[in-house]
């Protein structure tokens, strides 16, 4: 069984095949219609689906069900109810109704709402999302749901994602019809998220309060070796890692998650997993599940999977690459250049729309990946810079330039442009190292948004991307809708030309890690929003409020609530880090240091009595260094404590976040520097926690 992949693939999922087998024909048809077109589902259909789902779940060992949702905490939430229903004769039956399938009422009051519940209803409800399949995990039937307040405000990440997918579909379909592609009735966004992570030994993890409470090391001197030899990337897998990856793949396959690629990453102990792409909504759910299963499987192997964006200083952190495209219900990838001139025109229109969207809403894309954890990566020469730009490659750049200058690139010969008259080449995939520095790269038939942090939900960046592109498609359709058919070709050309000359500033094919690019980007007027508190205020700017409310993705209230939540989240994260650091340094490190100092002092004293009463020798010098460092640590620790206390009294969310960014983080860095210096002088066995060397090189 374990080796029969096709048999285990999706075995824990209530998928299409099972639905077709288990559901009455008309019910199956009605459900398919809802899944494909988002039409309303009648309660009798829901009842029939619930019965079939429960039967299947119970057959497969499930005793409970849960609505599974994605509140603003960034992780998923669940509350399990059993299927049992007592009968009059003291027995039970396994029961599950359509109502229970469609709607749940978890107590919403303990989830972040950013003030939404203060103004509206205290309760929230979950609503079944039939477009993402239910599955069984640990004896429970999981039903993917959206999470809203009673007055309909979204309290989660799925609701706005579904809204944004619909917005993009509507606008894309309208534009495609104008362009003459009338068969298309629906456009889906597709995502393939590549996931990076670290694996370390569980015993090491247990000894590090910083990893336990914050997910990253707050202190720790560098190991003698880092990633400078470049020997880990794509290196051969160590047996323990290989065993982990094998089981992980098998587990993911059972959930119908098409895990495809696995390899070692650049940093020691760092790895990556990539699935085959899927519809945005399903891919987001799958990525959440993937992260959870990674942690679980690691635990079984005596390992800990770290998903933090920057668990270790001095080596690369972890991100996610969000591969993104749009596909029509007729099976056409709209970012594929295609094989006919007609497809080419369509491709160019959609390509240029994405370019404009990224330029117009660069601030939102930056915000969509902003978190305290990801701030350690962005712009740190290991991840794309905080400046959002697009890589399109030299070949496509020439094509775009030709459009702008009224000449067409054709194998090096410039000829008069006539859109649709020439078949575009298939563009070479972006595989080179240089291109890895771009935050937003065209890779042949999709875009790859590379600035995402490893632990974050991929929902947010895709909400922004879908909505921004939907808006530009709307503008394009508006411009082209009044054009008579015989003038369409030249109108499209004019539109592309005008759009490109206005937005080419966002295209950058060079090395995004250089200082020159930072200067060049400033000259081009591209925003460089370095840290989370710098970019978050843009979330509620007039321009962005208009975008989200126009497309009915967020109400103004929802936007402001999310803004509050993001700010609070940032401050809370750094606050926990500060308190953890204080605890670790004060209680663990300082006592170890004191003990070691007295040991050294003993030896120094012993030597002193031998050598004429003057402090000489190795120990005496070491003692001097260690005591000086200890004084320094004391001082910096006190500064961190005092500043954190002050930060705790602040009430304004933005000011608080700025204080954590500009005061607490530098305090922590200063403290870390001296602690690490002292750590380097102390024997490993005296240290109360495992070193970088131990954690990174012994799995
Ligand atoms: P790499 O980036 O390593 O060269 P690939 O180009 O094969 O690898 O794909 C990387 C990811 O992009 C995979 O998860 C893949 O499924 C996904 N992907 C491929 N085509 C699309 C598409 N049309 N839409 C979204 N994701 C896609
Ligand atoms: Mg990639």
């Amino acid at each position: 069984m374990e080796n029969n992949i096709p048999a285990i693939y999706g075995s824990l999922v209530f998928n299409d095949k099972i639905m077709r087998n288990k559901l009455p024909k008309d019910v199956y048809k009605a459900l398919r219609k809802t899944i494909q077109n988002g039409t309303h589902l009648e309660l009798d259909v829901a009842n029939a689906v619930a019965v079939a789902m429960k039967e299947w779940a119970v057959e497969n060992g499930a005793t409970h069900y849960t609505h599974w949702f994605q509140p603003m905490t960034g992780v998923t939430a669940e509350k399990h109810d059993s299927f049992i229903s007592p009968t009059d004769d003291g027995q039970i039956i396994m029961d599950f109704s359509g109502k229970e399938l469609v709607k749940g009422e978890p107590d919403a009051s303990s989830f972040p709402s950013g003030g939404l519940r203060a103004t509206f209803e205290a309760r929230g409800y979950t609503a079944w999302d039939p477009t993402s399949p239910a599955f069984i995990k640990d004896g429970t039937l999981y039903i993917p749901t959206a999470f809203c307040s009673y007055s309909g405000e979204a309290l989660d990440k799925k609701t706005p994602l579904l809204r944004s997918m619909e917005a993009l579909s509507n606008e894309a379909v309208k534009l495609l019809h104008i362009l003459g592609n009338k068969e298309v009735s629906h456009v889906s966004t597709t995502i393939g998220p590549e996931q990076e992570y670290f694996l370390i030994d569980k015993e090491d993890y247990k000894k590090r309060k910083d990893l336990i409470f914050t997910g990253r090391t707050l202190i720790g001197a560098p190991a003698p070796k880092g990633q400078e030899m470049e020997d880990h990337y794509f290196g051969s897998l160590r047996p323990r890692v290989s065993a982990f990856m094998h089981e992980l793949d098998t587990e993911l396959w059972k959930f119908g998650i098409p895990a495809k690629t696995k390899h070692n990453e650049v940093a020691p102990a760092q790895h990556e997993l990539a699935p085959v792409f899927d519809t945005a909504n399903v891919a987001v759910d799958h990525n959440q599940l993937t992260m959870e299963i990674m942690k679980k499987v690691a635990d079984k192997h005596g390992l800990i999977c770290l998903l933090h964006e920057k668990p270790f200083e001095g080596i690369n952190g972890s991100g996610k690459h969000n591969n993104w495209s749009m596909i029509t219900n007729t099976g056409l990838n709209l970012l594929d250049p295609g094989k006919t001139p007609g497809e080419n025109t369509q491709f160019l229109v959609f390509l240029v729309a994405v370019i404009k969207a990224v330029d117009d809403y660069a601030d939102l894309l930056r915000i969509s990946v902003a978190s305290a954890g990801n701030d350690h990566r962005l712009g740190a020469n290991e991840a794309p810079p905080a400046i959002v730009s697009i890589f399109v490659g030299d070949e496509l750049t020439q094509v775009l330039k030709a459009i702008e200058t009224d000449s067409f690139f054709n194998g090096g010969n410039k000829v008069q442009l006539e859109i649709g008259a020439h078949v575009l080449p298939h563009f070479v995939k972006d595989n080179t190292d240089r291109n890895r520095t771009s935050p937003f790269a065209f890779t042949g038939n999709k875009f790859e948004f590379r600035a995402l942090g490893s632990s974050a939900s991929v929902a947010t960046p895709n909400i922004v991307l879908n909505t921004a592109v939907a808006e530009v498609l709307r503008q394009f359709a508006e411009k082209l809708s009044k054009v008579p058919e015989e003038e369409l070709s030249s109108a499209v050309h004019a539109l592309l030309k005008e759009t490109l000359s206005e937005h080419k500033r966002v295209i950058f094919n060079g090395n995004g890690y250089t200082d020159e690019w930072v200067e060049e980007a400033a000259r081009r007027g591209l925003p460089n929003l370095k840290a989370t508190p710098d970019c978050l205020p843009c979330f509620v700017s007039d321009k962005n409020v208009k975008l989200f409310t126009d497309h009915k993705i967020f109400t103004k209230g929802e936007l402001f609530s999310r803004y509050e939540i993001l700010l609070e989240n940032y401050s809370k994260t750094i606050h926990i880090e500060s308190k953890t650091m204080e605890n670790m340094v004060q209680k663990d490190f300082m006592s170890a240091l004191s003990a070691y100092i007295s040991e050294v002092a003993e030896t120094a004293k012993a030597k002193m009595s031998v050598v004429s009463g003057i402090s000489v020798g190795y120990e005496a010098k070491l003692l001097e260094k260690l005591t000086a460092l200890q004084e320094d640590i004391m001082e910096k620790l006190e500064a961190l404590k005092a500043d954190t206390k002050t930060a705790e009294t602040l009430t304004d969310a933005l000011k608080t976040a700025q204080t954590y960014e500009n005061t607490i983080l530098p305090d922590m860095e200063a403290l870390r520097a001296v602690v690490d210096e002292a750590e380097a002088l102390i024997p490993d066995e005296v240290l109360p926690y495992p070193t970088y060397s131990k954690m990174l090189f012994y799995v």
Side-chain angles (χ1 to χ4, degrees):
M1 175 77 176
E2 283 291 293
N3 288 322
N4 187 353
I5 313 294
I8 62 165
Y9 190 81
S11 57
L12 297 174
V13 183
F14 191 68
N15 56 23
D16 192 64
K17 190 174 145 208
I18 291 168
M19 283 193 260
R20 207 170 339 156
N21 285 341
K22 292 236 170 224
L23 292 171
K25 238 196 184 114
D26 52 328
V27 172
Y28 173 75
K29 263 197 189 149
L31 182 61
R32 282 303 313 164
K33 222 174 114 195
T34 298
I35 292 172
Q36 270 158 2
N37 312 330
T39 48
H40 180 71
L41 195 79
E42 299 300 333
L43 191 60
D44 55 335
V45 175
N47 275 325
V49 177
V51 169
M53 228 187 231
K54 180 211 68 189
E55 248 180 49
W56 168 81
V58 171
E59 271 167 31
N60 286 280
T63 52
H64 289 67
Y65 72 92
T66 181
H67 277 199
W68 185 60
F69 55 103
Q70 298 168 25
M72 294 300 296
T73 53
V75 291
T76 55
E78 50 197 71
K79 180 185 124 218
H80 300 216
D81 282 302
S82 72
F83 289 122
I84 69 159
S85 170
T87 54
D88 290 342
D89 57 355
Q91 313 274 316
I92 54 134
I93 53 163
M94 298 300 259
D95 198 24
F96 185 50
S97 69
K99 224 179 110 217
E100 286 167 313
L101 166 65
V102 171
K103 191 168 173 185
E105 297 187 25
D107 182 2
S109 59
S110 296
F111 293 105
S113 78
L116 270 185
R117 267 187 319 270
T119 37
F120 300 98
E121 262 258 29
R123 287 180 306 163
Y125 70 94
T126 50
W128 178 35
D129 168 18
T131 61
S132 182
F135 54 91
I136 297 171
K137 187 162 70 76
D138 305 325
T140 295
L141 170 70
Y142 280 71
I143 301 156
T145 57
F147 180 43
C148 298
S149 77
Y150 248 84
S151 36
E153 276 83 15
L155 296 174
D156 70 345
K157 305 199 174 196
K158 187 190 270 278
T159 309
L161 178 71
L162 292 171
R163 290 174 184 165
S164 74
M165 290 166 68
E166 196 181 325
L168 185 132
S169 176
N170 291 341
E171 302 304 337
V173 168
K174 262 188 249 164
L175 184 60
L176 285 168
H177 287 190
I178 292 172
L179 293 174
N181 192 343
K182 300 230 160 60
E183 298 108 83
V184 175
S185 60
H186 188 84
V187 171
S188 298
T189 41
T190 50
I191 312 176
E194 301 166 62
Q195 175 76 48
E196 291 180 341
Y197 60 96
F198 279 87
L199 286 179
I200 63 164
D201 194 277
K202 200 193 319 191
E203 292 311 311
D204 289 342
Y205 173 86
K206 282 194 206 150
K207 293 182 196 129
R208 300 228 29 153
K209 286 180 186 161
D210 48 6
L211 287 177
I212 293 172
F213 294 122
T214 74
R216 73 178 180 109
T217 55
L218 300 169
I219 50 181
K225 182 182 170 183
Q227 61 190 46
E228 61 276 48
M229 300 299 283
E230 297 171 338
D231 53 354
H232 195 255
Y233 190 56
F234 284 16
S236 70
L237 302 173
R238 295 213 188 100
R240 246 179 119 183
V241 173
S242 178
F244 159 82
M245 286 180 171
H246 182 75
E247 187 173 341
L248 175 62
D249 278 345
T250 311
E251 284 305 303
L252 293 174
W253 291 335
K254 286 183 194 165
F255 290 103
I257 299 173
K260 176 95 176 153
T261 313
K262 52 187 182 185
H263 61 80
N264 285 347
E265 258 302 328
V266 173
Q270 193 186 30
H271 315 279
E272 183 185 289
L273 176 135
V276 177
F277 69 96
D278 215 324
T279 314
N281 173 34
V282 173
V284 167
D285 286 359
H286 278 174
N287 182 251
Q288 289 289 352
L289 205 50
T290 299
M291 292 193 284
E292 199 187 310
I293 294 169
M294 277 178 159
K295 288 185 180 166
K296 238 185 221 160
V297 174
D299 193 73
K300 274 176 71 182
H301 289 252
L303 298 165
I304 293 287
C305 172
L306 300 176
L307 289 172
H308 193 282
E309 282 76 15
K310 191 74 182 175
F312 304 102
E313 213 153 85
I315 54 172
N316 280 4
S318 301
K320 260 195 267 248
H321 288 177
N322 187 77
N323 294 276
W324 177 93
S325 192
M326 298 162 277
I327 190 164
T328 65
N329 62 319
T330 54
L332 197 70
N333 177 353
L334 292 170
L335 291 176
D336 193 305
K339 291 188 186 68
T340 65
E343 285 172 349
N344 288 173
T345 307
Q346 210 168 263
F347 161 72
L348 287 170
V349 169
F350 280 85
L351 178 82
V352 171
V354 176
I355 292 172
K356 174 168 161 61
V358 171
D359 191 26
D360 282 346
Y361 298 102
D363 53 350
L364 278 180
L365 285 168
R366 169 66 187 89
I367 289 166
S368 78
V369 297
S371 69
N374 212 19
D375 279 358
H376 298 294
R377 295 175 63 241
L378 295 182
N381 283 4
E382 59 170 87
I387 306 160
V388 177
S389 66
I390 299 187
F391 170 91
V392 293
D394 294 337
E395 214 177 346
L396 194 50
T397 299
Q398 299 220 46
V399 173
L400 297 179
K401 207 173 269 166
I403 293 173
E404 214 198 318
T405 57
D406 283 334
S407 57
F408 188 65
F409 177 72
N410 184 7
N413 303 316
K414 289 189 174 171
V415 295
Q416 195 58 32
L417 174 81
E418 220 182 298
I419 289 196
H422 306 273
V423 178
L424 291 175
H426 261 77
F427 302 101
V428 182
K429 263 180 63 165
D430 150 39
N431 281 328
T432 66
D433 269 354
R434 183 190 60 148
N435 305 339
R436 296 271 162 202
T437 66
S438 175
F440 206 91
F442 182 71
T443 51
N445 61 358
K446 62 186 184 292
F447 275 102
E448 187 170 354
F449 186 21
R450 297 171 173 155
L452 285 72
S454 49
S455 69
S457 160
V458 285
T460 319
N462 288 291
I463 293 167
V464 168
L465 196 51
N466 293 345
T467 312
V469 173
E471 168 57 20
V472 177
L473 297 177
R474 187 197 65 75
Q475 293 173 19
F476 280 12
E478 192 177 72
K479 282 207 172 124
L480 297 175
S481 63
K482 296 158 213 136
V483 177
E485 209 179 312
E486 62 278 12
E487 286 164 34
L488 189 66
S489 182
S490 54
V492 168
H493 176 198
L495 176 65
L496 294 183
K497 187 176 161 176
E498 175 198 321
T499 311
L500 278 171
S501 71
E502 227 173 280
H503 297 284
K504 65 180 175 203
R505 65 172 192 161
V506 78
I507 297 175
F508 176 64
N509 294 328
N511 184 351
Y513 290 177
T514 61
D515 293 337
E516 290 80 55
W517 168 234
V518 176
E519 287 159 27
E520 166 71 18
R523 272 195 298 278
R524 293 188 190 187
L526 300 178
N528 183 4
L529 301 160
K530 285 203 181 81
T532 299
D534 309 329
C535 66
L536 278 181
C538 303
F539 200 39
V540 289
S541 70
D542 290 346
K543 175 195 78 159
N544 295 334
V545 169
K546 183 165 167 29
L547 172 77
F548 285 125
T549 51
D550 277 359
H551 291 275
K552 303 201 165 34
I553 311 301
F554 293 117
T555 63
K556 203 167 173 183
E558 287 172 344
L559 268 177
F560 275 88
S561 86
R562 263 152 225 258
Y563 170 58
E564 288 282 318
I565 291 170
L566 288 167
L567 281 174
E568 271 176 19
N569 201 310
Y570 177 85
S571 299
K572 282 180 191 165
T573 302
I574 299 175
H575 183 253
I576 294 169
E577 290 182 348
S578 163
K579 297 305 274 185
T580 304
M581 192 170 193
E582 179 190 321
N583 180 301
M584 237 178 128
V585 173
Q586 179 91 61
K587 295 176 81 153
D588 304 336
F589 186 79
M590 284 302 243
S591 44
L593 181 57
S594 286
Y596 184 57
I597 285 179
S598 63
E599 195 189 313
V600 175
E602 278 298 303
T603 320
K605 206 166 123 202
K607 278 194 180 173
M608 182 162 70
S609 57
V610 177
V611 190
S612 74
I614 307 163
S615 272
V616 288
Y618 172 71
E619 286 79 11
K621 281 192 187 120
L622 181 60
L623 191 60
E624 215 171 283
K625 261 192 208 162
L626 290 173
T627 18
L629 280 168
Q630 197 173 32
E631 289 299 306
D632 214 0
I633 293 172
M634 255 331 269
E635 211 173 278
K636 299 209 152 82
L637 180 61
E638 289 311 318
L640 174 66
K641 278 193 211 169
D643 288 338
T644 305
K645 233 186 197 133
T646 312
E648 283 165 2
T649 64
L650 301 174
T651 48
D652 179 84
L654 180 60
K655 281 216 181 77
T656 309
Q658 285 164 341
T659 304
Y660 278 100
E661 178 198 351
N662 299 318
T663 309
I664 307 301
L665 278 181
D667 280 355
M668 287 169 60
E669 257 169 56
L671 175 58
R672 177 179 186 144
V674 275
V675 170
D676 288 359
E677 203 182 327
E679 186 194 297
L681 299 173
I682 302 179
D684 287 1
E685 59 276 13
V686 175
L687 281 174
Y689 48 78
T691 61
Y692 267 37
S693 303
K694 175 72 177 59
M695 284 187 285
L696 292 171
F697 290 94
Y698 288 83
V699 167

